[in-house]
Amino acid sequence: MTIDRPGLIVADGWKDYQLLDCGLGMKHEQWGPYTLVRPDPQIIWPRTGGNGRWENWDGFYHRSETGGGKWEYRKPLPDHWSIRYGNLTFKIHPTSFKHTGLFPEQAVNWDWFTARIKAAKAAGREVSVLNLFGYTGAASVAAAAAGASVCHVDAAEGMVKWCKENAALSGLAEAPVRYITDDCLKFVRREIKRGRKYDAIIMDPPTYGRGSTGEMWKLEDHLWELLKECQEVLSDRPVFVLINAYTARLSPTVVVNLLAGLLSGAGGRISGGEVGLPIRRDGKVLPCGIFGRWEAT
């Protein structure tokens, strides 16, 4: 097994999205035809252009001192709109908890596993992918577009519905995607009993969360338990495993170490690091999370 130590990968292939500027805990973004300003706890540096507000924005998310927050709009915005990344199309909808339904930095991972799925298909293999904590399904749609069959799992019914919408927007309404609303750990355990196997696993576990019936999830306490169960549903010739995480408390080396422990006898190659977005104004990079990847060689 080869292990590449963590580095930084920047998602600089976007045309419909841009991170325009950052500073003082806020980011100024272009999402297709609309500009949004949102908070980000990683942005502790000052603004390059001064300390005042940006003038050019359509939506501004104000965080409340008591938790949560709300959007302020300068003009009526549609409930949702779409942006494209290559041949993929995604629904964008500003939610009450500041998110838009898409994490654009993850494009680097879509590109990475797309290449591995296509290579396996070119070699005559069919590839089945399990996407856990699948959220609104950008990774599921990307995997399906690459030619994989996909099982998309999330505990929130609304997110699973959003995944279906993204698939339809990308022309993949009839693609072989299973949409599952369930607690991820419980679902994997049932898949073990059913004897179902997958050639690849993608997971994007939250720092904290609750399952479909209120089960508590804490990343540091439960991730290894989930990974051990996932080991049982990997096929005899797995193609890849991808773990994303957004907690600032974990080093990417931790994720690399988890994969090394999980796949110690599988050979292949492990890599890990940070994903980030380029800031157009001054060339800085906004760190947006960590990842660990295992791939067959």
Side-chain angles (χ1 to χ4, degrees):
M1 176 181 290
T2 301
I3 298 179
D4 294 339
R5 295 304 168 187
L8 172 66
I9 304 177
V10 179
D12 56 5
W14 281 95
K15 295 181 179 178
D16 284 3
Y17 170 87
Q18 288 188 79
L19 179 53
L20 302 172
D21 199 4
C22 289
L24 297 175
M26 304 296 287
K27 55 186 176 182
H28 186 202
E29 303 166 289
Q30 185 79 41
W31 293 88
Y34 304 107
T35 56
L36 304 178
V37 177
R38 301 186 292 158
D40 190 304
Q42 298 270 41
I43 305 168
I44 63 173
W45 56 89
R47 275 191 55 199
T48 304
N51 294 331
R53 285 189 177 185
W54 294 288
E55 292 302 320
N56 177 29
W57 55 266
D58 298 306
F60 195 112
Y61 188 86
H62 298 276
R63 188 178 292 282
S64 170
E65 293 181 359
T66 58
K70 65 177 182 179
W71 286 96
E72 174 190 358
Y73 296 110
R74 280 188 165 160
K75 63 181 180 181
L77 264 62
D79 176 73
H80 61 272
W81 61 95
S82 62
I83 66 173
R84 292 183 59 82
Y85 183 79
N87 62 338
L88 308 174
T89 303
F90 302 112
K91 170 187 166 183
I92 303 302
H93 167 66
T95 67
S96 60
F97 44 95
K98 87 173 181 177
H99 295 303
T100 64
L102 189 69
F103 293 95
E105 69 278 357
Q106 290 301 318
V108 295
N109 284 322
W110 310 334
D111 292 342
W112 176 80
F113 65 66
T114 289
R116 274 117 199 105
I117 292 169
K118 288 185 175 180
K121 294 278 289 184
R125 290 192 60 182
E126 295 299 318
V127 180
S128 59
V129 175
L130 174 61
N131 185 14
L132 300 172
F133 309 97
Y135 191 49
T136 61
S140 294
V141 173
S149 60
V150 182
C151 180
H152 174 95
V153 186
D154 196 279
E157 184 177 2
M159 298 300 102
V160 176
K161 179 182 177 183
W162 200 328
C163 177
K164 290 182 181 179
E165 293 177 286
N166 281 332
L169 286 170
S170 294
L172 297 165
E174 303 303 319
V177 181
R178 296 169 62 208
Y179 300 96
I180 307 293
T181 303
D182 203 351
D183 173 81
C184 289
L185 181 57
K186 288 184 175 180
F187 176 78
V188 171
R189 286 173 173 164
R190 283 194 288 271
E191 292 289 83
I192 293 171
K193 291 179 180 179
R194 288 188 280 256
R196 196 184 298 269
K197 299 288 185 178
Y198 297 90
D199 302 305
I201 295 176
I202 300 167
M203 65 173 67
D204 202 340
T207 305
Y208 297 98
R210 291 193 178 274
S212 57
T213 56
E215 302 88 348
M216 188 64 190
W217 165 273
K218 187 177 179 182
L219 186 70
E220 293 92 333
D221 294 342
H222 298 111
L223 181 55
W224 179 249
E225 178 185 8
L226 175 61
L227 288 173
K228 288 297 291 181
E229 299 288 3
C230 286
Q231 189 177 43
E232 298 298 314
V233 298
L234 275 174
S235 67
D236 293 336
R237 291 195 300 146
V239 177
F240 68 85
V241 177
L242 168 64
I243 303 172
N244 299 304
Y246 290 93
T247 175
R249 295 195 301 270
L250 288 186
S251 161
T253 302
V254 172
V255 185
V256 168
N257 291 345
L258 287 169
L259 285 171
L262 186 74
L263 296 157
S264 58
R269 176 175 175 264
I270 293 175
S271 60
E274 286 185 286
V275 292
L277 289 166
I279 303 170
R280 192 181 77 173
R281 182 183 180 91
D282 56 17
K284 293 188 183 78
V285 174
L286 176 64
C288 300
I290 62 175
F291 71 90
R293 301 167 171 172
W294 174 88
E295 60 183 296
T297 55

